[in-house]
Amino acid sequence: TLDSSRVDYNLARELYRNTNDKYKLGAGFAKPIINTTAGFMGAPHFIHSDPEADQELEQAFQRWTGKILRLNRNTLRDGDVFARIAMVPNRFIPGKMHFELMLTPPEWVTPIVDPLTGGWQQVIIRHPVVVTDTNGRKQQDYTIVETLTPTQRIIEADSRAPADVRAQNRTEPNPWGFIPIVHFKNEAEENHVFGLSDLEPVEPFMKAYHDVMLFAVQGSKLFSRPKAKFKLKDVQKFLSDNFSQEEIKAGRLKFADKEIFLLQEGDDAAFITADSGLQGITTLLEFIFMCIVDVSETPEFAFGTAVSSSKASVSEQMVPLARKIRRKRGQFEEYYSELASMYLAMWAQVENRTLETYQVDVGWDEISPRNDKEMAETVKTLVEGLVQAVESGLMGIDSAAEFLREFVPSMLPWVDPDADDDERRRVAKSLELLNRLRDGEGLNINDEPLPDGQEE
């Protein structure tokens, strides 16, 4: 009895695109919330023990980088993305097939889960089809239902489809032996079949921000237009001096374009302005904004540098953001590893290859952006401290090198007997080259003839 409730996908997309009139003045926060997290997550890279399989993974997923970035964004926004690997015709090479990564809208997909194993018994995909004429008017709509199981693929059009379409209904074997779809779920729960959108917890605050902002804008139209107040001894005299007889008889006095009023001694004129309550509204909007920042776990600077409190605290706000990105990456690693392993299994079957394992390691790029000066100062201070620790006997060279390796991605493991190269061998080669450069051994800098008997 797992909870099968799903995200309101249409509302989530409307909030992201800010196209829902009920949230127009508050949904502008949705896109920075999603894009900041997705942007810092980036695209993963994959490592496999077999060199040929590793190269194939790199080429395939590098070609799909744009879809991978969109997959991250859609999963955070919608809560669910069904990533499918399919073999489709190559449109540039007729008669040749190739693998393609396809992102299926989650509202089309219904997975049937085995209650004992948690695996999929079958996946049902309902493809909506809309037929229009040359003017764009809808003529017909129907649905093609695709049912995938580990052994077969069933394609069936509903009764509304034309006869020629229904004639293409078929059942064909599934050559892979598994369903080639991975369900990416955001903030997955054991008692939920589907994921959760990052916009769901923030939605009430977006609605509140919209309502307050709308009230402030409407009130501004009323309060910014002052009303005239007159204190008069003789009203009729004032009217006859400043307005025409037609206006007086009609009872409609026109104050537009009135720059001068003629007043008698003792009369007074002033404007009545109401308090717009702008200070209270501003305080309330700031409070709602901070609620959005806290609930979405998004730093203030992501919403723009116009926020005064964000200008001097970017480095401090990067700490919780980096932790959020690591948590999101950790949640997605399981799905990406499954997707890469699935691709290798399909590729090995097509290429008639046998791999010892389909296990794939997932890696990510550095999270925190650093400028060159900060990076150089950090490495310099770290190296000086490690050198002092080694020379004083508090740390071994191996430990110091492994610790430094976390800050210098280009470093290899200090000692790796199974590899052709490691950092210790690199250091030895570098020292040997430096000694030769200092001594000038074997070097002829000025291109002068060498003495007799000396080889270059």
Side-chain angles (χ1 to χ4, degrees), residues 259-283:
E259 297 182 0
I260 298 176
F261 286 101
L262 301 177
L263 303 176
Q264 302 298 315
E265 185 177 356
D267 292 349
D268 186 25
F271 286 105
I272 301 176
T273 56
D275 183 7
S276 63
L278 184 60
Q279 183 176 358
I281 292 175
T282 302
T283 303

PDB file of all heavy atoms in Angstrom, residues 259-283:
ATOM      1  N   GLU A 259      -3.852  73.877 -12.947  1.00  0.00           N
ATOM      2  CA  GLU A 259      -2.606  74.274 -12.315  1.00  0.00           C
ATOM      3  C   GLU A 259      -2.793  75.427 -11.330  1.00  0.00           C
ATOM      4  O   GLU A 259      -1.956  75.641 -10.450  1.00  0.00           O
ATOM      5  CB  GLU A 259      -1.583  74.682 -13.379  1.00  0.00           C
ATOM      6  CG  GLU A 259      -1.206  73.539 -14.324  1.00  0.00           C
ATOM      7  CD  GLU A 259      -0.165  73.962 -15.321  1.00  0.00           C
ATOM      8  OE1 GLU A 259       0.242  75.148 -15.266  1.00  0.00           O
ATOM      9  OE2 GLU A 259       0.261  73.141 -16.157  1.00  0.00           O
ATOM     10  N   ILE A 260      -3.881  76.191 -11.467  1.00  0.00           N
ATOM     11  CA  ILE A 260      -4.105  77.371 -10.603  1.00  0.00           C
ATOM     12  C   ILE A 260      -5.543  77.324 -10.099  1.00  0.00           C
ATOM     13  O   ILE A 260      -6.479  77.057 -10.857  1.00  0.00           O
ATOM     14  CB  ILE A 260      -3.867  78.694 -11.369  1.00  0.00           C
ATOM     15  CG1 ILE A 260      -2.412  78.767 -11.843  1.00  0.00           C
ATOM     16  CG2 ILE A 260      -4.224  79.899 -10.508  1.00  0.00           C
ATOM     17  CD1 ILE A 260      -2.126  79.994 -12.696  1.00  0.00           C
ATOM     18  N   PHE A 261      -5.736  77.566  -8.811  1.00  0.00           N
ATOM     19  CA  PHE A 261      -7.059  77.736  -8.205  1.00  0.00           C
ATOM     20  C   PHE A 261      -7.137  79.147  -7.628  1.00  0.00           C
ATOM     21  O   PHE A 261      -6.221  79.592  -6.921  1.00  0.00           O
ATOM     22  CB  PHE A 261      -7.305  76.703  -7.097  1.00  0.00           C
ATOM     23  CG  PHE A 261      -7.561  75.307  -7.612  1.00  0.00           C
ATOM     24  CD1 PHE A 261      -6.565  74.349  -7.591  1.00  0.00           C
ATOM     25  CD2 PHE A 261      -8.802  74.966  -8.127  1.00  0.00           C
ATOM     26  CE1 PHE A 261      -6.798  73.080  -8.057  1.00  0.00           C
ATOM     27  CE2 PHE A 261      -9.042  73.693  -8.603  1.00  0.00           C
ATOM     28  CZ  PHE A 261      -8.033  72.738  -8.563  1.00  0.00           C
ATOM     29  N   LEU A 262      -8.225  79.850  -7.928  1.00  0.00           N
ATOM     30  CA  LEU A 262      -8.459  81.192  -7.393  1.00  0.00           C
ATOM     31  C   LEU A 262      -9.182  81.068  -6.070  1.00  0.00           C
ATOM     32  O   LEU A 262     -10.278  80.504  -5.978  1.00  0.00           O
ATOM     33  CB  LEU A 262      -9.288  82.014  -8.383  1.00  0.00           C
ATOM     34  CG  LEU A 262      -8.656  82.189  -9.772  1.00  0.00           C
ATOM     35  CD1 LEU A 262      -9.601  82.962 -10.691  1.00  0.00           C
ATOM     36  CD2 LEU A 262      -7.315  82.898  -9.670  1.00  0.00           C
ATOM     37  N   LEU A 263      -8.564  81.570  -5.000  1.00  0.00           N
ATOM     38  CA  LEU A 263      -9.115  81.483  -3.654  1.00  0.00           C
ATOM     39  C   LEU A 263      -9.366  82.878  -3.096  1.00  0.00           C
ATOM     40  O   LEU A 263      -8.672  83.848  -3.452  1.00  0.00           O
ATOM     41  CB  LEU A 263      -8.160  80.711  -2.734  1.00  0.00           C
ATOM     42  CG  LEU A 263      -7.789  79.280  -3.165  1.00  0.00           C
ATOM     43  CD1 LEU A 263      -6.773  78.705  -2.190  1.00  0.00           C
ATOM     44  CD2 LEU A 263      -9.025  78.389  -3.241  1.00  0.00           C
ATOM     45  N   GLN A 264     -10.355  82.983  -2.210  1.00  0.00           N
ATOM     46  CA  GLN A 264     -10.646  84.230  -1.512  1.00  0.00           C
ATOM     47  C   GLN A 264      -9.867  84.275  -0.202  1.00  0.00           C
ATOM     48  O   GLN A 264      -9.299  83.272   0.246  1.00  0.00           O
ATOM     49  CB  GLN A 264     -12.154  84.338  -1.242  1.00  0.00           C
ATOM     50  CG  GLN A 264     -12.997  84.279  -2.507  1.00  0.00           C
ATOM     51  CD  GLN A 264     -12.702  85.416  -3.458  1.00  0.00           C
ATOM     52  OE1 GLN A 264     -12.590  86.580  -3.020  1.00  0.00           O
ATOM     53  NE2 GLN A 264     -12.577  85.109  -4.746  1.00  0.00           N
ATOM     54  N   GLU A 265      -9.858  85.437   0.414  1.00  0.00           N
ATOM     55  CA  GLU A 265      -9.168  85.591   1.688  1.00  0.00           C
ATOM     56  C   GLU A 265      -9.830  84.693   2.729  1.00  0.00           C
ATOM     57  O   GLU A 265     -11.047  84.678   2.886  1.00  0.00           O
ATOM     58  CB  GLU A 265      -9.226  87.044   2.149  1.00  0.00           C
ATOM     59  CG  GLU A 265      -8.422  87.300   3.424  1.00  0.00           C
ATOM     60  CD  GLU A 265      -8.437  88.766   3.814  1.00  0.00           C
ATOM     61  OE1 GLU A 265      -9.006  89.578   3.045  1.00  0.00           O
ATOM     62  OE2 GLU A 265      -7.887  89.077   4.886  1.00  0.00           O
ATOM     63  N   GLY A 266      -8.999  83.893   3.388  1.00  0.00           N
ATOM     64  CA  GLY A 266      -9.503  82.973   4.400  1.00  0.00           C
ATOM     65  C   GLY A 266      -9.722  81.564   3.881  1.00  0.00           C
ATOM     66  O   GLY A 266      -9.932  80.637   4.670  1.00  0.00           O
ATOM     67  N   ASP A 267      -9.692  81.397   2.525  1.00  0.00           N
ATOM     68  CA  ASP A 267      -9.824  80.041   1.968  1.00  0.00           C
ATOM     69  C   ASP A 267      -8.499  79.292   2.098  1.00  0.00           C
ATOM     70  O   ASP A 267      -7.429  79.893   2.250  1.00  0.00           O
ATOM     71  CB  ASP A 267     -10.237  80.116   0.498  1.00  0.00           C
ATOM     72  CG  ASP A 267     -11.655  80.638   0.326  1.00  0.00           C
ATOM     73  OD1 ASP A 267     -12.365  80.728   1.353  1.00  0.00           O
ATOM     74  OD2 ASP A 267     -12.046  80.940  -0.816  1.00  0.00           O
ATOM     75  N   ASP A 268      -8.582  77.959   1.971  1.00  0.00           N
ATOM     76  CA  ASP A 268      -7.377  77.121   2.081  1.00  0.00           C
ATOM     77  C   ASP A 268      -7.558  75.897   1.177  1.00  0.00           C
ATOM     78  O   ASP A 268      -8.664  75.362   1.044  1.00  0.00           O
ATOM     79  CB  ASP A 268      -7.128  76.687   3.526  1.00  0.00           C
ATOM     80  CG  ASP A 268      -5.812  75.947   3.675  1.00  0.00           C
ATOM     81  OD1 ASP A 268      -4.912  76.182   2.838  1.00  0.00           O
ATOM     82  OD2 ASP A 268      -5.684  75.110   4.592  1.00  0.00           O
ATOM     83  N   ALA A 269      -6.457  75.447   0.561  1.00  0.00           N
ATOM     84  CA  ALA A 269      -6.468  74.257  -0.295  1.00  0.00           C
ATOM     85  C   ALA A 269      -5.279  73.386   0.080  1.00  0.00           C
ATOM     86  O   ALA A 269      -4.188  73.880   0.364  1.00  0.00           O
ATOM     87  CB  ALA A 269      -6.400  74.642  -1.762  1.00  0.00           C
ATOM     88  N   ALA A 270      -5.508  72.095   0.072  1.00  0.00           N
ATOM     89  CA  ALA A 270      -4.440  71.140   0.423  1.00  0.00           C
ATOM     90  C   ALA A 270      -4.771  69.787  -0.211  1.00  0.00           C
ATOM     91  O   ALA A 270      -5.846  69.590  -0.787  1.00  0.00           O
ATOM     92  CB  ALA A 270      -4.290  71.022   1.935  1.00  0.00           C
ATOM     93  N   PHE A 271      -3.844  68.866  -0.092  1.00  0.00           N
ATOM     94  CA  PHE A 271      -4.044  67.511  -0.602  1.00  0.00           C
ATOM     95  C   PHE A 271      -4.150  66.541   0.563  1.00  0.00           C
ATOM     96  O   PHE A 271      -3.428  66.652   1.559  1.00  0.00           O
ATOM     97  CB  PHE A 271      -2.883  67.091  -1.516  1.00  0.00           C
ATOM     98  CG  PHE A 271      -2.906  67.760  -2.854  1.00  0.00           C
ATOM     99  CD1 PHE A 271      -2.018  68.786  -3.154  1.00  0.00           C
ATOM    100  CD2 PHE A 271      -3.820  67.361  -3.821  1.00  0.00           C
ATOM    101  CE1 PHE A 271      -2.036  69.396  -4.390  1.00  0.00           C
ATOM    102  CE2 PHE A 271      -3.847  67.979  -5.061  1.00  0.00           C
ATOM    103  CZ  PHE A 271      -2.952  68.995  -5.350  1.00  0.00           C
ATOM    104  N   ILE A 272      -5.032  65.551   0.403  1.00  0.00           N
ATOM    105  CA  ILE A 272      -5.188  64.486   1.394  1.00  0.00           C
ATOM    106  C   ILE A 272      -4.469  63.245   0.863  1.00  0.00           C
ATOM    107  O   ILE A 272      -4.796  62.740  -0.205  1.00  0.00           O
ATOM    108  CB  ILE A 272      -6.670  64.168   1.653  1.00  0.00           C
ATOM    109  CG1 ILE A 272      -7.403  65.403   2.145  1.00  0.00           C
ATOM    110  CG2 ILE A 272      -6.799  63.015   2.639  1.00  0.00           C
ATOM    111  CD1 ILE A 272      -8.894  65.179   2.318  1.00  0.00           C
ATOM    112  N   THR A 273      -3.483  62.734   1.552  1.00  0.00           N
ATOM    113  CA  THR A 273      -2.766  61.507   1.178  1.00  0.00           C
ATOM    114  C   THR A 273      -2.884  60.513   2.315  1.00  0.00           C
ATOM    115  O   THR A 273      -2.705  60.853   3.483  1.00  0.00           O
ATOM    116  CB  THR A 273      -1.282  61.807   0.906  1.00  0.00           C
ATOM    117  OG1 THR A 273      -0.699  62.431   2.048  1.00  0.00           O
ATOM    118  CG2 THR A 273      -1.132  62.739  -0.291  1.00  0.00           C
ATOM    119  N   ALA A 274      -3.194  59.287   1.935  1.00  0.00           N
ATOM    120  CA  ALA A 274      -3.322  58.217   2.936  1.00  0.00           C
ATOM    121  C   ALA A 274      -1.984  57.505   3.087  1.00  0.00           C
ATOM    122  O   ALA A 274      -1.152  57.472   2.169  1.00  0.00           O
ATOM    123  CB  ALA A 274      -4.403  57.236   2.519  1.00  0.00           C
ATOM    124  N   ASP A 275      -1.777  56.916   4.239  1.00  0.00           N
ATOM    125  CA  ASP A 275      -0.572  56.136   4.489  1.00  0.00           C
ATOM    126  C   ASP A 275      -0.671  54.828   3.702  1.00  0.00           C
ATOM    127  O   ASP A 275      -1.575  54.019   3.900  1.00  0.00           O
ATOM    128  CB  ASP A 275      -0.431  55.841   5.982  1.00  0.00           C
ATOM    129  CG  ASP A 275       0.859  55.095   6.300  1.00  0.00           C
ATOM    130  OD1 ASP A 275       1.689  54.945   5.378  1.00  0.00           O
ATOM    131  OD2 ASP A 275       1.019  54.659   7.453  1.00  0.00           O
ATOM    132  N   SER A 276       0.269  54.606   2.788  1.00  0.00           N
ATOM    133  CA  SER A 276       0.230  53.410   1.944  1.00  0.00           C
ATOM    134  C   SER A 276       0.615  52.142   2.695  1.00  0.00           C
ATOM    135  O   SER A 276       0.428  51.040   2.187  1.00  0.00           O
ATOM    136  CB  SER A 276       1.170  53.597   0.756  1.00  0.00           C
ATOM    137  OG  SER A 276       2.510  53.745   1.199  1.00  0.00           O
ATOM    138  N   GLY A 277       1.179  52.250   3.857  1.00  0.00           N
ATOM    139  CA  GLY A 277       1.611  51.076   4.608  1.00  0.00           C
ATOM    140  C   GLY A 277       2.798  50.380   3.978  1.00  0.00           C
ATOM    141  O   GLY A 277       2.990  49.175   4.177  1.00  0.00           O
ATOM    142  N   LEU A 278       3.588  51.124   3.198  1.00  0.00           N
ATOM    143  CA  LEU A 278       4.699  50.522   2.466  1.00  0.00           C
ATOM    144  C   LEU A 278       5.740  49.914   3.396  1.00  0.00           C
ATOM    145  O   LEU A 278       6.305  48.859   3.099  1.00  0.00           O
ATOM    146  CB  LEU A 278       5.349  51.576   1.567  1.00  0.00           C
ATOM    147  CG  LEU A 278       6.480  51.082   0.652  1.00  0.00           C
ATOM    148  CD1 LEU A 278       5.968  50.001  -0.290  1.00  0.00           C
ATOM    149  CD2 LEU A 278       7.077  52.242  -0.128  1.00  0.00           C
ATOM    150  N   GLN A 279       5.987  50.548   4.521  1.00  0.00           N
ATOM    151  CA  GLN A 279       6.995  50.023   5.443  1.00  0.00           C
ATOM    152  C   GLN A 279       6.595  48.660   5.978  1.00  0.00           C
ATOM    153  O   GLN A 279       7.401  47.733   6.017  1.00  0.00           O
ATOM    154  CB  GLN A 279       7.208  51.011   6.592  1.00  0.00           C
ATOM    155  CG  GLN A 279       8.305  50.570   7.561  1.00  0.00           C
ATOM    156  CD  GLN A 279       8.559  51.621   8.641  1.00  0.00           C
ATOM    157  OE1 GLN A 279       7.929  52.677   8.624  1.00  0.00           O
ATOM    158  NE2 GLN A 279       9.474  51.341   9.543  1.00  0.00           N
ATOM    159  N   GLY A 280       5.329  48.525   6.366  1.00  0.00           N
ATOM    160  CA  GLY A 280       4.864  47.227   6.863  1.00  0.00           C
ATOM    161  C   GLY A 280       4.856  46.170   5.780  1.00  0.00           C
ATOM    162  O   GLY A 280       5.211  45.003   6.024  1.00  0.00           O
ATOM    163  N   ILE A 281       4.452  46.566   4.557  1.00  0.00           N
ATOM    164  CA  ILE A 281       4.440  45.615   3.446  1.00  0.00           C
ATOM    165  C   ILE A 281       5.857  45.164   3.109  1.00  0.00           C
ATOM    166  O   ILE A 281       6.111  43.977   2.851  1.00  0.00           O
ATOM    167  CB  ILE A 281       3.761  46.258   2.221  1.00  0.00           C
ATOM    168  CG1 ILE A 281       2.274  46.465   2.493  1.00  0.00           C
ATOM    169  CG2 ILE A 281       3.957  45.397   0.982  1.00  0.00           C
ATOM    170  CD1 ILE A 281       1.544  47.210   1.401  1.00  0.00           C
ATOM    171  N   THR A 282       6.806  46.105   3.115  1.00  0.00           N
ATOM    172  CA  THR A 282       8.198  45.757   2.827  1.00  0.00           C
ATOM    173  C   THR A 282       8.739  44.767   3.850  1.00  0.00           C
ATOM    174  O   THR A 282       9.414  43.787   3.496  1.00  0.00           O
ATOM    175  CB  THR A 282       9.072  47.015   2.815  1.00  0.00           C
ATOM    176  OG1 THR A 282       8.557  47.930   1.845  1.00  0.00           O
ATOM    177  CG2 THR A 282      10.508  46.680   2.485  1.00  0.00           C
ATOM    178  N   THR A 283       8.434  44.993   5.123  1.00  0.00           N
ATOM    179  CA  THR A 283       8.881  44.071   6.171  1.00  0.00           C
ATOM    180  C   THR A 283       8.292  42.684   5.968  1.00  0.00           C
ATOM    181  O   THR A 283       8.980  41.658   6.114  1.00  0.00           O
ATOM    182  CB  THR A 283       8.480  44.611   7.556  1.00  0.00           C
ATOM    183  OG1 THR A 283       9.040  45.919   7.738  1.00  0.00           O
ATOM    184  CG2 THR A 283       8.978  43.691   8.660  1.00  0.00           C
TER     185      THR A 283
END
